[in-house]
């Protein structure tokens, strides 16, 4: 059964780091792109980063470039999001989902077939 489970969130001070995990089951990451999205209170989900399933090509929104790194471990069927230099505006519930791919590129647009419960990231002093 298709399932995505996010974990690794928590409370950190500005400038701190967290590593989020997205554990996939029911499908092989090798054949799908995976994106990280986040949703702050009162706002809609927006894309943060994505990685293509086989080629490993990555993409980031400007607000996280240089601070966040997405990676995947095909053997473990898991995608990670390393978040460094966290800012209060990064506070949100973070979700992973399957995303559209075009060739080797991933797009930060969900296929729309699976959203988990997310993991809360709170950045506060």
């Amino acid at each position: 059964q298709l399932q995505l489970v996010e974990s690794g969130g928590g409370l950190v001070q500005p400038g701190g780091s967290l590593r989020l995990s997205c554990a996939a089951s029911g499908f092989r990451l090798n054949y799908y792109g995976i994106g990280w999205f986040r949703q702050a209170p009162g706002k809609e989900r927006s894309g943060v980063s994505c990685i293509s399933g086989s080629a490993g090509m990555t993409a980031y929104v400007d607000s996280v470039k240089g601070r966040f790194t997405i990676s995947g471990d095909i053997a473990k069927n898991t995608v990670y999001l390393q978040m460094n230099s966290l800012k209060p505006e990064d506070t949100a519930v973070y979700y992973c989902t399957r995303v559209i791919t075009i060739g080797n590129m991933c797009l930060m647009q969900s296929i729309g077939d699976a959203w988990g419960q997310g993991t809360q990231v709170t950045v506060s002093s």
Side-chain angles (χ1 to χ4, degrees), residues 1-8 19-29 34-36 71-81 94-98 114-119:
Q1 297 180 348
L2 190 157
Q3 187 175 15
L4 296 169
V5 180
E6 304 92 342
S7 63
R19 186 176 179 85
L20 307 184
S21 297
C22 172
S25 61
F27 69 98
R28 302 306 303 173
L29 289 180
I34 298 293
W36 282 98
S71 62
D73 187 330
I74 298 299
K76 296 181 179 180
N77 224 41
T78 300
V79 172
Y80 305 96
L81 185 67
Y94 283 70
Y95 303 86
C96 61
T97 188
R98 303 204 294 192
W115 294 97
Q117 294 299 308
T119 184

Side-chain angles (χ1 to χ4, degrees), residues 30-84:
N30 189 53
Y31 301 108
Y32 292 90
I34 298 293
W36 282 98
F37 291 69
R38 62 188 179 186
Q39 184 172 26
K43 298 182 179 179
E44 296 185 17
R45 287 190 182 100
S46 61
V48 177
S49 181
C50 65
I51 184 169
S52 62
S54 59
M57 184 174 293
T58 60
Y60 304 87
V61 295
D62 288 343
S63 60
V64 307
K65 286 182 178 178
R67 300 189 298 120
F68 292 9
T69 303
I70 190 170
S71 62
D73 187 330
I74 298 299
K76 296 181 179 180
N77 224 41
T78 300
V79 172
Y80 305 96
L81 185 67
Q82 178 67 46
M83 306 186 297
N84 299 325

